[in-house]
Amino acid sequence: MLQRFYPDVYVDSAYNIPYEELYAGGRRGIIFDIDNTLVPHGAPADGRSKALIRRLQGIGFRVMMLSNNREPRVKTFCDAVGCLYIHKANKPFPESYQKAMKRMKTGPDTTLFVGDQLFTDVWGAKKVGILTYLVQPIHPREEIQIVIKRFFEKIVLYFYKKERGRS
């Protein structure tokens, strides 16, 4: 039952994913969450996030941000990094993931998702068959509803790591 929330890959940071290898393997689109995936919650785009998006676009990836946040937050970030976005995405519902792939002209087999939350980011992407990368949150400061979800995420991650022989 918990497996539906398991990421395909669990890494420490969105900045340490082997994107060149993924592109060589046929991936062409990347959907990112923003807050606590690329920058701390509510923070503006920084040099590191801008450089990552430029690097990915230079490789040949189409990049899309998918956020449950409101448009002013998402648009400001995406204008700064230079990529497409969908705001108020209603993750984990599949419609926004499908819309993102349609806009990038990719499919589940050529897209990957990178996010920091199991019950929104990962679960939603898995529902539509996208390769999922879960990253550790960048910063411990979070909204109260996310703090509550993190408690349950710890339980799921405990079993995920146990099944994969990691502690």
Side-chain angles (χ1 to χ4, degrees), residues 13 23 34 37 44 52 61 64 73 77 96 132 136 142 152:
S13 171
Y23 191 85
I34 299 171
T37 297
L52 176 63
F61 279 109
M64 169 81 66
R73 161 59 176 152
F77 183 89
S96 291
T132 58
Q136 294 179 19
E142 297 184 295
F152 294 104

Side-chain angles (χ1 to χ4, degrees), residues 93-130:
F93 296 104
E95 291 80 13
S96 291
Y97 296 87
Q98 293 164 334
K99 183 178 177 182
M101 288 187 288
K102 185 175 182 179
R103 287 179 66 191
M104 292 190 301
K105 297 179 174 64
T106 61
D109 58 332
T110 59
T111 306
L112 66 125
F113 186 92
V114 181
D116 70 299
Q117 293 187 52
L118 288 176
F119 301 129
T120 52
D121 298 331
V122 169
W123 189 28
K126 287 182 75 74
K127 286 180 181 182
V128 295
I130 299 172

Side-chain angles (χ1 to χ4, degrees), residues 48-155:
R48 187 165 80 151
S49 59
K50 292 175 187 177
L52 176 63
I53 301 309
R54 278 192 309 270
R55 176 180 148 218
L56 296 173
Q57 291 169 336
I59 293 168
F61 279 109
R62 294 175 196 96
V63 180
M64 169 81 66
M65 299 295 156
L66 192 62
S67 176
N68 284 346
N69 220 319
R70 294 184 305 243
E71 188 168 23
R73 161 59 176 152
V74 180
K75 181 179 184 338
T76 300
F77 183 89
C78 292
D79 285 351
V81 300
C83 72
L84 301 170
Y85 66 89
I86 296 173
H87 67 285
K88 287 191 167 183
N90 292 317
K91 295 180 288 183
F93 296 104
E95 291 80 13
S96 291
Y97 296 87
Q98 293 164 334
K99 183 178 177 182
M101 288 187 288
K102 185 175 182 179
R103 287 179 66 191
M104 292 190 301
K105 297 179 174 64
T106 61
D109 58 332
T110 59
T111 306
L112 66 125
F113 186 92
V114 181
D116 70 299
Q117 293 187 52
L118 288 176
F119 301 129
T120 52
D121 298 331
V122 169
W123 189 28
K126 287 182 75 74
K127 286 180 181 182
V128 295
I130 299 172
L131 177 68
T132 58
Y133 275 74
L134 177 69
V135 299
Q136 294 179 19
I138 288 178
H139 195 276
R141 186 189 62 125
E142 297 184 295
E143 295 176 336
I144 188 63
Q145 71 271 17
I146 296 172
V147 171
I148 293 166
K149 284 193 278 185
R150 294 283 187 214
F151 172 78
F152 294 104
E153 283 185 358
K154 286 181 184 177
I155 296 167

